[in-house]
Amino acid sequence: SRIVRVAAAQMGPVSRNDAKPKTVARMVALMREAHSLKADLVVFPELALTAFFTKWYIADEAELEATYFETEMPSEVTRPLFETAAELGIGFHLGYAEIAHEGGRKRRYNTAIVVDRTGRIVHKYRKVHLPGHEDYRPDYPIQDLEKMYFEVGDKGFRAFRHEGGVFGVIICNDRRWPESYRVLGLQGAEMILCGYNTCVHNPMAPEHDHLANFHNHLPMQAGAYQNGTWVVGVAKAGVEDDWAMVGQSAIISPTGEIVAMCATDGDEIAFCRCDLDLTRLSKTAVFDFARHRRPEHYSLITST
Ligand code: ING
């Protein structure tokens, strides 16, 4: 068995008025609690360092970038996370808003990194599926301006080796799209990490608001089951600057079962000792891609 002891480190609200050092201190406390559980890996949410700012229209680009984005990683304010990780010998996943200067221009991404037990960044992913709308909609009570604030990620879905297994990272809205899991599943992913910030109220489909929790777990359980992989979904949860966000952070087994879940909408760890070898049966029986998949009939998926 290849056991990875995973701590899903859900975070409660981060207000627009919370200074980053205060939020990082909460995360360090969660990392220390995870260490007391002998965790090998701590998974923090999407955009963990700040409020889920895409719900507001922020016209001043300079203010937007200075307040919510990181121009380097580790940065001064996030260094305590890397230092604590190295001190405790624990790895972590962190979601944050990234400014990068690449290809001769400035770019903004909704990014997640995986850092190993020595404090080294071993993987970077940039969110592919950006939900919401690219224009400010004053008639909406809250916005979802990810398409205005971020570019589509340029790294695709690349599996990587970590903790003796094959890992993948997706972010939030990615979890609703089967392709996110399948592209990683085709690379043999055994554990997929996913942070999320999900407002219960979706102005584009308010009729579905009452299904927010159901539509949170449903795709992650399906993605886990259909690709024989663990899925770790971690929320920034609770009522953040007046707007409720889905919690129920969960660790989902390769059979699609929720084997650990947070009971509150605050800072809370859901913990499970995950045996990566449990993925074998799914990948060699029902979901033996080589034996059962028929890509010659799927071309519409990539051609349209
Ligand atoms: N947020 C939401 C998500 O996909 C959303 C957007 C909310 C989509 C409600 C559908 C319904 O979980 C992010 N950050 O992607």
Side-chain angles (χ1 to χ4, degrees):
S1 62
R2 290 175 293 140
I3 304 291
V4 182
R5 299 171 67 88
V6 176
Q10 174 178 286
M11 293 170 66
V14 177
S15 167
R16 66 193 313 173
N17 307 315
D18 286 340
K20 282 181 192 172
K22 173 185 170 195
T23 305
V24 169
R26 286 168 54 189
M27 299 170 75
V28 168
L30 283 165
M31 195 178 267
R32 291 195 180 283
E33 182 184 349
H35 183 60
S36 72
L37 295 166
K38 297 185 175 37
D40 301 308
L41 174 65
V42 181
V43 185
F44 290 116
E46 169 193 31
L47 298 175
L49 301 168
T50 67
F52 182 43
F53 59 92
T54 67
K55 58 173 168 280
W56 303 302
Y57 174 51
I58 301 161
D60 180 337
E61 295 262 319
E63 181 205 334
L64 170 80
E65 295 185 0
T67 311
Y68 296 109
F69 284 77
E70 305 302 317
T71 55
E72 54 184 353
M73 190 53 71
S75 51
E76 209 41 54
V77 75
T78 54
R79 196 170 303 286
L81 284 172
F82 289 74
E83 289 169 347
T84 306
E87 172 204 333
L88 302 177
I90 194 168
F92 67 95
H93 158 282
L94 171 69
Y96 66 97
E98 174 191 17
I99 284 180
H101 294 271
E102 292 168 7
R105 66 181 177 83
K106 177 169 72 171
R107 301 143 182 263
R108 298 190 308 223
Y109 296 108
N110 187 336
T111 296
I113 54 172
V114 174
V115 179
D116 72 10
R117 301 164 184 271
T118 71
R120 197 167 51 84
I121 297 175
V122 294
H123 185 71
K124 177 184 278 191
Y125 168 72
R126 290 164 168 168
K127 186 173 182 177
V128 166
H129 297 96
L130 300 173
H133 44 95
E134 58 290 320
D135 52 310
Y136 172 43
R137 297 187 179 179
D139 53 313
Y140 283 2
I142 45 172
Q143 312 293 310
D144 188 351
L145 290 170
E146 295 200 48
K147 294 175 190 288
M148 180 191 282
Y149 296 154
F150 304 118
E151 290 183 41
V152 172
D154 60 346
K155 293 177 174 292
F157 300 102
R158 278 209 312 270
F160 62 103
R161 294 211 57 86
H162 187 61
E163 290 292 331
V166 181
F167 277 66
V169 176
I170 62 176
I171 299 177
C172 203
N173 196 258
D174 287 326
R175 76 188 185 287
R176 301 182 190 279
W177 301 90
E179 293 86 351
S180 309
Y181 304 92
R182 181 61 91 211
V183 173
L184 289 167
L186 286 166
Q187 298 170 70
E190 297 171 309
M191 178 169 283
I192 295 175
L193 312 178
C194 177
Y196 58 88
N197 289 210
T198 301
C199 293
V200 171
H201 180 55
N202 178 9
M204 299 175 83
E207 299 84 354
H208 291 168
D209 285 3
H210 67 286
L211 296 168
N213 281 330
F214 174 58
H215 287 165
N216 175 39
H217 284 160
L218 177 65
M220 292 196 288
Q221 289 181 266
Y225 167 60
Q226 292 167 342
N227 294 280
T229 176
W230 289 88
V231 171
V232 183
V234 185
K236 170 127 65 59
V239 179
E240 187 175 273
D241 295 307
D242 302 329
W243 292 93
M245 295 206 288
V246 166
Q248 298 199 326
S249 301
I251 299 176
I252 296 163
S253 74
T255 48
E257 296 167 273
I258 294 173
V259 293
M261 186 173 87
C262 286
T264 74
D265 278 351
D267 291 10
E268 178 188 347
I269 283 177
F271 178 85
C272 181
R273 48 185 299 285
C274 304
D275 183 355
L276 299 182
D277 285 347
L278 287 184
T279 63
R280 297 315 329 139
L281 184 54
S282 301
K283 292 178 188 287
T284 57
V286 179
F287 295 106
D288 179 342
F289 291 164
R291 261 215 319 235
H292 303 311
R293 273 187 80 245
R294 307 268 34 109
E296 67 271 19
H297 292 295
Y298 306 161
S299 58
L300 265 185
I301 289 179
T302 52
S303 62
T304 49

